Amino acid sequence: MPDIKERIMNQSGLHARGRDMFGLCCLPGECVLQRAVLVRKKLSPKEGGGWLSGTLFCTHFRVAFVPQDSPRADDNADPVLLGDHDVALASIEKVVAVGPSRTKLVTPNSSLKFTPEELVLYCRDLRVLCFLFDRLTPDAQAVEITYTIAKTYQPLKPGTILSFQNAALGSIEMKQFLSNRRRDPGMNWFESSADWEQELERTGATGWRVSSVNDRFEMSTSLSRFNVVPQKVLDTELKKTFAHFNEGRIPRWCWRHPRGSDLLRMASFQNNIYHEKDDIRNLELILFGGQPQCVVVDLGEEMPSPADVQLAHTRLRALCLGDISSSVSVPDDKWLSTLEGTHWLDYIRCCLRKSAEVACLLRRGHLTVVLQESEDRDMNCVVSSLVQVMCDPHCRTVAGFQGLVQKEWVMAGHRFLSRINYHRDSDKEEAPIFLLFLDCVWQLWAQFPARFQLTEDYLLALHDSLHLPLFSTFLANCQRERCRRSQHLPQSYTPVNGLRELPRGSAEEPVDPPYPPVWDWSLQYSSQRRALFSQPVCQPCSPAPVLNGNLNTNTNMEPNWLSDGVPGSVFLLSRSSFSCPSNLLPWRSGSGSGSYRKSHRRAPSSESLPALERLIKACGQPDAPQDFHDPHQPLIPLLLGPCIRIWRNCYLRGALHAQAFTHPMSSNSRHPVERLASEVEHLRERLAQASTGRPSNRKRHEHRRLDSNLNQNANNGTFLFSSSSSSSSSSSSSSSSSSSSSSRTSQQESPCRVSGRPPTAPRYRDGGGKHTFLFGHQGEPQGSQRYAPSPSAKLPKNSGPAGAKTH
């Protein structure tokens, strides 16, 4: 095998750009390590199902599959990192070889004692790629490419990620190509003061300015160079406020509602800090931002912690992805309760509920809503972004959404590198906070698809790109790290109150390798895929107000609701209720050593609470009028159990593939379920003929193709297959057909009804073994799946009812 590797590597080195003799369009500097001919790839239901014949390649960057009849690519076209049937080595989590009678997890140190008939690749983005080797495929090629993939995909660990990045982007031609790439001019990158000024002008925010006091990251290493603060606060005074907050993350402006409210975010206050009189004035000027009242939304108590999110996502992956190399499975009647036990949907519901409450508050006008988190780098990013998606139509476009992520995540200092944990150096910091946000956005898209320009395909592309460690967007924890890595750290100091731009650095070649931003979609996907990222946007149409679980969506409020309030009052919104605790602002509490007792504003009084209580009560009136022509009418989602659904096309897209290969059969033999289905179809025709009294004109059902979704689990005897289109469209008046049709009709009429696992037919016993037959149709993938979790994940035993719905 080493000799074959060396010959192929030497041969591919002569084709640094263009196609080699096998038809693979290589990236600049990409080397082919191994190939296998006469391979068939299992297509997902979204791709049309069935099999696709072609050639399988393994390079030092990706596993590529070239269809047999694929058109010849233009050698002069710009390179695309991954084709429609490719997967990066860094995205592969495990390699499983399937033999005639068993399956084996292949590792770099393992040995194969059988020739694999199928190869299954489990990916970190929840995809499962299945390849079937033909009988004419040389056994040596099947074994060698399995070994090559297992040895080169390199499970991410310290020191291996850089070699993968150099394999993709480290060649001289690729570096030159990336250095000449131009950024998308249609989106706001929020990397300069002009970008922030543009956002202030777009939202109509007055009384705010862009401060460059942190342009050398001396005030706060995790904040961006530019931050928006009130105009009345000078930079000399602003410098004194950084010490009062964790990591120096002062209150900063995020967005202004058209009705005049401002959304801010900040970290928690530092303890045992002496508050000078001037400091108190500046702190309250920043918090109020020129508004008469301020509401602090504490996200520390209600929102899930990063550890909770990580545990829930691990359980969800184990439940949805499954593992064909294990024998553990979740029974059909326990699947939804197990899904509910992961708490992933609960955390989504919690984020949406809190964001909807903040959106309703902002719609009242004339106040500031300040999001407060201990470190201001996780849940503040989620809630502030969701609020803007709910209220601002611009954030529901592709360009606006990308600018939103740049502003509230990238520039705000979300720890992408630590939370994604590319280097696998600290599992304690790993938590898919950004994936939780994408799932929340999908929930909004699923309930209001006509209000979004971006599509589900776009969200899926962004979800998958997060698992590819090649983009500068996700390879740092803050702007300071990105500037150092790209050699853009400014070398001079901007004068106080100055908005003069600093030079971006010399025109020398960037560091090796250069990392493109994730928004460079033409580098990742073909034009056909990118065409699915957007859709036309219809005119806004607000739904009728409904009672929404613990949150009431009616936002009607009497115009003089602030008349009872005392100017300068600060309130706390926690657990959907308002209060004015004395220790909300440390300098107003009057306790603690060195705290200044006096404030230039009046202390919060209970006189202001009735107005806020009327706000909550007004939100509970279901018959209040709604402005159906207001484009900023917030998208308040339904939060009841059945309305928060699992993101099926993301989390369940690989489950059907895994189950189809759970118990493989030889290519020249028929599956037992296939033989049984043929006998059932024959008996059905005999019954139809006997009931009509004349020979049936219907032809006998032909043998199903081998690419049908067949599944047999040897442990619990569970069989799964999807019926062909001919049988599903038959005019036979059998009871099973009518029941299936009525089931589909009921599902269409009740979209919010709990959709459980695929319907199971009566159970039979054969030889003491328990067998379950699951029948479904190809047009309804939700009725033809079974999922098996990994034994490594601990799933809670919850037998209670589950309020979740698959979609």
Side-chain angles (χ1 to χ4, degrees):
M1 185 174 72
D3 296 336
I4 298 178
K5 270 191 181 180
E6 292 177 1
R7 290 200 303 270
I8 296 180
M9 290 178 63
N10 295 333
Q11 181 182 16
S12 60
L14 301 176
H15 301 273
R17 183 69 181 274
R19 289 182 170 241
D20 61 4
M21 62 176 297
F22 304 120
L24 176 64
C25 186
C26 297
L27 297 173
E30 186 177 14
C31 300
V32 177
L33 302 179
Q34 190 56 257
R35 73 181 181 98
V37 298
L38 301 176
V39 179
R40 288 183 290 173
K41 178 180 182 291
K42 177 72 176 180
L43 299 179
S44 64
K46 191 174 182 180
E47 296 172 331
W51 299 86
L52 187 63
S53 300
T55 305
L56 185 63
F57 296 88
C58 178
T59 72
H60 64 334
F61 164 64
R62 57 176 170 164
V63 175
F65 180 80
V66 179
Q68 185 175 0
D69 299 329
S70 61
R72 181 179 180 85
D74 186 5
D75 292 344
N76 297 322
D78 292 339
V80 178
L81 293 178
L82 297 173
D84 295 337
H85 304 284
D86 302 347
V87 59
L89 293 175
S91 298
I92 300 177
E93 189 171 21
K94 63 177 65 175
V95 179
V96 177
V98 182
S101 59
R102 59 172 177 161
T103 62
K104 180 177 179 60
L105 178 64
V106 185
T107 62
N109 299 324
S110 62
S111 59
L112 277 178
K113 298 182 180 180
F114 60 90
T115 300
E117 294 183 352
E118 290 140 7
L119 178 64
V120 185
L121 304 180
Y122 285 84
C123 304
R124 303 182 188 277
D125 54 12
L126 295 171
R127 287 183 299 166
V128 178
L129 303 182
C130 303
F131 301 96
L132 174 66
F133 298 109
D134 193 85
R135 288 179 298 172
L136 300 180
T137 303
D139 293 346
Q141 290 187 5
V143 174
E144 289 172 0
I145 197 169
T146 302
Y147 267 126
T148 303
I149 296 175
K151 291 182 179 181
T152 55
Y153 85 90
Q154 295 176 345
L156 295 182
K157 57 183 179 180
T160 61
I161 186 174
L162 183 60
S163 61
F164 170 78
Q165 294 166 346
N166 285 323
L169 310 174
S171 64
I172 297 178
E173 293 184 8
M174 200 66 178
K175 288 190 293 182
Q176 183 179 3
F177 170 75
L178 293 176
S179 61
N180 297 328
R181 300 283 289 182
R182 294 185 178 181
R183 291 184 170 183
D184 183 7
M187 65 169 286
N188 195 334
W189 295 82
F190 292 95
E191 292 183 347
S192 65
S193 61
D195 295 340
W196 287 97
E197 294 284 358
Q198 178 184 348
E199 181 69 4
L200 288 173
E201 181 180 358
R202 186 188 71 84
T203 58
T206 58
W208 300 87
R209 69 178 181 89
V210 182
S211 173
S212 58
V213 69
N214 194 45
D215 81 312
R216 291 173 61 180
F217 307 104
E218 292 180 343
M219 299 294 101
S220 176
T221 58
S222 61
L223 285 181
S224 62
R225 295 172 55 198
F226 303 99
N227 297 277
V228 179
V229 296
Q231 289 181 347
K232 296 181 180 180
V233 182
L234 302 178
D235 282 355
T236 53
E237 301 171 340
L238 186 63
K239 290 181 180 180
K240 301 177 182 180
T241 62
F242 285 89
H244 297 273
F245 299 90
N246 291 340
E247 299 185 11
R249 300 182 67 85
I250 61 173
R252 292 132 21 238
W253 177 89
C254 297
W255 180 71
R256 164 161 286 192
H257 195 278
R259 297 195 176 185
S261 301
D262 292 301
L263 178 65
L264 283 69
R265 54 184 293 184
M266 68 177 184
S268 299
F269 293 102
Q270 288 278 20
N271 297 325
N272 300 325
I273 296 294
Y274 185 83
H275 303 285
E276 297 285 351
K277 186 174 182 179
D278 293 338
D279 296 344
I280 295 175
R281 174 185 174 275
N282 296 327
L283 287 170
E284 295 195 352
L285 281 176
I286 297 175
L287 282 175
F288 284 87
Q291 302 287 1
Q293 291 189 348
C294 174
V295 177
V296 177
V297 182
D298 186 11
L299 302 181
E301 297 182 359
E302 298 180 63
M303 307 300 289
S305 65
D308 295 334
V309 176
Q310 171 65 13
L311 179 60
H313 190 262
T314 302
R315 291 173 173 175
L316 182 69
R317 282 178 54 88
L319 177 65
C320 296
L321 187 59
D323 188 355
I324 64 174
S325 61
S326 65
S327 58
V328 179
S329 62
V330 177
D332 295 339
D333 56 347
K334 299 294 183 181
W335 198 91
L336 278 179
S337 60
T338 306
L339 172 63
E340 195 72 13
T342 64
H343 299 296
W344 180 258
L345 299 182
D346 294 335
Y347 296 155
I348 292 176
R349 187 178 295 108
C350 179
C351 293
L352 291 174
R353 177 182 294 113
K354 181 57 65 176
S355 303
E357 290 176 355
V358 174
C360 292
L361 270 179
L362 288 171
R363 197 166 182 264
R364 298 302 93 226
H366 306 294
L367 81 161
T368 59
V369 180
V370 185
L371 305 178
Q372 184 180 36
E373 189 187 11
S374 177
E375 297 181 354
D376 181 37
R377 305 182 71 174
D378 290 310
M379 286 302 159
N380 268 6
C381 301
V382 175
V383 175
S384 61
S385 301
L386 288 177
V387 169
Q388 297 176 58
V389 171
M390 291 178 179
C391 299
D392 194 346
H394 175 71
C395 297
R396 299 193 286 269
T397 64
V398 173
F401 185 81
Q402 294 177 172
L404 175 67
V405 175
Q406 281 288 127
K407 179 179 64 172
E408 300 296 340
W409 294 80
V410 180
M411 293 295 111
H414 176 67
R415 290 190 287 258
F416 277 110
L417 188 61
S418 299
R419 293 307 185 202
I420 303 174
N421 197 15
Y422 284 132
H423 295 286
R424 296 295 185 269
D425 52 357
S426 178
D427 294 340
K428 295 181 180 179
E429 296 292 329
E430 184 177 358
I433 304 295
F434 188 69
L435 298 184
L436 179 69
F437 164 69
L438 291 182
D439 202 331
C440 293
V441 175
W442 180 85
Q443 301 289 339
L444 293 173
W445 176 88
Q447 296 191 25
F448 307 95
R451 304 289 292 273
F452 283 81
Q453 185 206 28
L454 58 88
T455 62
E456 183 183 21
D457 293 273
Y458 174 84
L459 296 176
L460 275 174
L462 187 56
H463 174 278
D464 296 344
S465 299
L466 188 71
H467 298 83
L468 197 61
L470 293 177
F471 307 108
S472 60
T473 309
F474 306 133
L475 287 175
N477 290 326
C478 58
Q479 187 184 12
R480 179 172 176 264
E481 293 183 8
R482 293 182 184 89
C483 290
R484 286 189 170 184
R485 184 167 298 185
S486 59
Q487 295 182 352
H488 287 166
L489 189 64
Q491 301 298 325
S492 60
Y493 182 73
T494 303
V496 176
N497 296 330
L499 298 179
R500 177 174 58 89
E501 293 292 338
L502 295 178
R504 285 282 181 172
S506 62
E508 299 178 359
E509 189 178 38
V511 294
D512 183 17
Y515 301 115
V518 72
W519 317 121
D520 192 355
W521 296 116
S522 60
L523 184 64
Q524 305 180 55
Y525 298 101
S526 61
S527 57
Q528 292 80 5
R529 289 285 303 275
R530 285 183 278 121
L532 303 175
F533 286 178
S534 61
Q535 65 180 4
V537 182
C538 302
Q539 293 295 329
C541 180
S542 300
V546 294
L547 291 180
N548 194 18
N550 293 335
L551 173 70
N552 297 322
T553 61
N554 191 335
T555 59
N556 182 59
M557 189 63 203
E558 45 188 282
N560 58 346
W561 74 279
L562 284 173
S563 59
D564 296 358
V566 177
S569 299
V570 182
F571 302 95
L572 175 66
L573 174 61
S574 180
R575 302 189 183 278
S576 303
S577 62
F578 289 95
S579 62
C580 50
S582 59
N583 60 347
L584 181 58
L585 301 182
W587 55 88
R588 293 189 178 186
S589 62
S591 60
S593 59
S595 62
Y596 191 82
R597 294 173 177 267
K598 203 172 181 181
S599 174
H600 79 288
R601 294 183 182 269
R602 294 179 58 181
S605 171
S606 60
E607 298 176 0
S608 302
L609 285 179
L612 296 175
E613 291 176 356
R614 289 202 305 272
L615 171 63
I616 297 298
K617 293 179 180 179
C619 291
Q621 298 175 1
D623 55 349
Q626 293 282 327
D627 187 0
F628 292 91
H629 301 285
D630 183 7
H632 293 276
Q633 177 78 18
L635 304 182
I636 305 299
L638 301 176
L639 301 180
L640 298 176
C643 300
I644 301 299
R645 299 168 287 182
I646 187 172
W647 189 358
R648 183 183 183 87
N649 288 335
C650 178
Y651 299 115
L652 302 183
R653 53 182 165 172
L656 183 61
H657 293 65
Q659 293 301 314
F661 285 80
T662 298
H663 198 81
M665 301 298 296
S666 177
S667 57
N668 57 358
S669 63
R670 299 180 63 192
H671 198 282
V673 179
E674 187 178 4
R675 295 195 300 267
L676 177 62
S678 178
E679 295 177 4
V680 171
E681 186 65 25
H682 177 64
L683 291 175
R684 181 179 299 175
E685 293 179 359
R686 295 287 298 272
L687 289 174
Q689 180 180 355
S691 61
T692 56
R694 61 178 181 273
S696 176
N697 295 327
R698 180 181 176 183
K699 295 182 179 180
R700 182 172 180 175
H701 183 62
E702 298 178 355
H703 297 318
R704 285 189 173 87
R705 297 181 305 170
L706 291 176
D707 59 345
S708 299
N709 299 324
L710 304 177
N711 172 48
Q712 178 182 6
N713 189 300
N715 296 305
N716 56 11
T718 302
F719 303 95
L720 168 67
F721 68 93
S722 60
S723 60
S724 63
S725 58
S726 60
S727 62
S728 63
S729 61
S730 173
S731 59
S732 175
S733 58
S734 61
S735 61
S736 61
S737 299
S738 60
S739 62
S740 176
S741 175
S742 62
S743 175
R744 291 194 299 271
T745 304
S746 62
Q747 291 181 3
Q748 294 176 358
E749 293 177 353
S750 303
C752 291
R753 185 177 302 174
V754 176
S755 178
R757 293 299 307 275
T760 58
R763 304 180 178 232
Y764 305 90
R765 294 188 178 272
D766 183 13
K770 184 178 180 181
H771 301 276
T772 304
F773 299 92
L774 308 180
F775 297 88
H777 297 271
Q778 292 179 350
E780 298 176 1
Q782 68 268 22
S784 59
Q785 293 191 14
R786 179 174 175 84
Y787 317 96
S790 173
S792 60
K794 298 180 180 180
L795 300 178
K797 297 181 180 180
N798 184 8
S799 59
K805 178 178 179 179
T806 59
H807 175 70

